[in-house]
Every structure is written in C-alpha cells, then in structure tokens.
Amino acid sequence: AQTVTQSQPEMSVQEAETVTLSCTYDTSENNYYLFWYKQPPSRQMILVIRQEAYKQQNATENRFSVNFQKAAKSFSLKISDSQLGDTAMYFCAFMKYYNNDMRFGAGTRLTVKP
Amino acid sequence: DAGVTQSPTHLIKTRGQQVTLRCSPISGHKSVSWYQQVLGQGPQFIFQYYEKEERGRGNFPDRFSARQFPNYSSELNVNALLLGDSALYLCASSRGGEGTDTQYFGPGTRLTVL
C-alpha cells in the first residue's frame, strides 16, 4: 500500500523568506503522480503543484518549486518569497498512474509571519 | 467557469440517522471522487465514479454508498451514522477516470454527528 509521510506538523517562516516542506512516500509503483495541495483556513483545497514521476525535471509554478528525488522517494516543496496568503495547511499526495485513489499525508501547518 | 460545488455547507445529524451529500463537478469533468477529512488529518479516499460507474472504493464500511447521475453530479450517502463519521466531506472532479488528470476539490460539507 502507498503511504505518504509529512514529518513536520507545523512550520513558520517570516514574510519574504524561503521555506521548504518535506514529504516522503512509499510505493512499489514506477509510474505515479505527486501533488502538493494547499488548504487555507477557508478549507477549499487548492492544487499548488504537480509532478509526474517519469519526468526528471522538477516542477515549478511561480514561487513554488519541488525537489523530486525518485530513488529516495522524497518530494519536498519550496516556497520562495513567502507571502501572508501562503498561510495554510499543506498536504502532500500520491496517486498511481491509472487510479484516482489519491493518498494524502497528514499535512504541515505553515504560518507566514509579518 | 464555476468550480466544484457541494451542498449543503454544514449538516448536523444524530447517531443512527442517514445523510445525503451532493456534488456538482466542473463543467466537462466526468469523474467525481469523494474524500473524508477528519479534523487534523489528511483526506481519505472513499469512492471514485466515472461515467456513472464505480471505479474505486476506499476502506470504508458498506454504510457508505454513492452514485453518479447522467449529468455527472454525484451523491454520497451514509447510513446509520456514528459519532466517528463527523468530518469534512470533500468532493473532487477530474476530466477523466485515470490518474493522468488533476483532481479539483470543492469547498466540502462539514458533517457533525451528535
């Protein structure tokens, strides 16, 4: 079974600084997808970034980038130039290639301080 | 375009009752997945429906059931409610039924069982 582990329950960062959220996963699959979702206090889950396992290049979306290490089964999220609006729960998620059963980690609560 | 919509926003039920939650996917999306998010945890996969057929089921008891209608909207039913069913129920839609398509989440329905 696939499991996703986020070892940092809470993190904080000063506005404009950079923060990295960690995620590891366990799978025997070779083809899969990894995601970071953001859930602000308003609770709507928003996709931050997506990575296909077959792509070696790390995904980037504006201030958000990932460090995908397939052999180590690690998928960290880097947020640059942190903004107050980045305050939220961040969930790492795994999904098999031909399956919509998405497995989530327990989440990391990120607080951006002014 | 409108995003994923869910109704109702909040619901309070007592133990033993039955509840129906509703979800309308993004226009053009044919797949709907349901997740349960207990407070302080990541979402857990309950069901996926694609083209009105069940494509996947998580580790939930038979008290949980769902269906998808010809317009691709979906209902999640929970019978014989238990206190432990109190959670945020999230619906996510995607274009297709396979993992190649990103899931977009609705705002959720907060169910409280007393």
Side-chain angles (χ1 to χ4, degrees):
Chain A
Q2 288 73 34
T3 58
V4 179
T5 302
Q6 293 179 249
S7 59
Q8 305 151 316
E10 294 189 24
M11 292 191 72
S12 64
V13 63
Q14 291 297 130
E15 195 175 7
E17 293 188 347
T18 296
V19 64
T20 299
L21 309 184
S22 301
C23 173
T24 59
Y25 58 95
D26 184 27
T27 185
S28 57
E29 301 285 330
N30 191 47
N31 292 319
Y32 50 87
Y33 295 88
L34 295 164
F35 305 85
W36 280 98
Y37 279 90
K38 166 186 175 181
Q39 190 175 40
S42 66
R43 84 183 178 212
Q44 181 112 28
M45 193 86 74
I46 302 166
L47 176 67
V48 174
I49 202 164
R50 161 188 163 128
Q51 174 81 43
E52 289 87 350
Y54 65 87
K55 290 185 177 179
Q56 293 186 341
Q57 187 172 3
N58 289 324
T60 299
E61 287 288 341
N62 301 315
R63 298 183 294 108
F64 299 88
S65 62
V66 298
N67 183 5
F68 173 48
Q69 302 289 328
K70 190 173 184 179
K73 297 180 183 175
S74 169
F75 183 62
S76 61
L77 175 70
K78 185 172 81 171
I79 306 174
S80 304
D81 186 25
S82 297
Q83 300 175 1
L84 296 178
D86 295 333
T87 293
M89 283 290 290
Y90 285 81
F91 291 98
C92 177
F94 168 99
M95 189 162 66
K96 290 183 196 178
Y97 202 62
Y98 289 108
N99 190 312
N100 267 23
D101 176 358
M102 195 178 300
R103 302 295 175 98
F104 287 83
T108 296
R109 183 177 303 280
L110 176 68
T111 302
V112 180
K113 298 179 178 179
Chain B
D1 284 342
V4 178
T5 59
Q6 294 186 242
S7 63
T9 304
H10 295 89
L11 207 49
I12 299 175
K13 293 284 188 178
T14 56
R15 282 177 295 176
Q17 285 190 311
Q18 175 265 341
V19 68
T20 298
L21 311 180
R22 295 176 176 81
C23 171
S24 291
I26 292 170
S27 179
H29 285 196
K30 298 182 177 180
S31 175
V32 169
S33 297
W34 287 95
Y35 293 83
Q36 181 195 64
Q37 187 178 17
V38 173
L39 192 62
Q41 298 181 18
Q44 279 196 295
F45 173 75
I46 309 175
F47 284 113
Q48 186 218 346
Y49 275 77
Y50 176 66
E51 290 282 16
K52 302 183 290 295
E53 291 189 0
E54 183 182 303
R55 275 290 191 92
R57 172 186 283 257
N59 188 24
F60 280 80
D62 292 343
R63 299 185 295 107
F64 288 77
S65 64
R67 57 179 175 169
Q68 187 177 32
F69 299 98
N71 66 353
Y72 303 110
S73 67
S74 177
E75 287 183 351
L76 175 70
N77 296 285
V78 187
N79 294 321
L81 285 167
L82 303 174
L83 295 179
D85 295 332
S86 294
L88 180 67
Y89 288 84
L90 297 168
C91 171
S93 78
S94 59
R95 282 179 303 172
E98 299 176 346
T100 50
D101 295 315
T102 296
Q103 295 185 38
Y104 296 90
F105 285 82
T109 293
R110 171 72 64 189
L111 172 64
T112 302
V113 182
L114 302 176

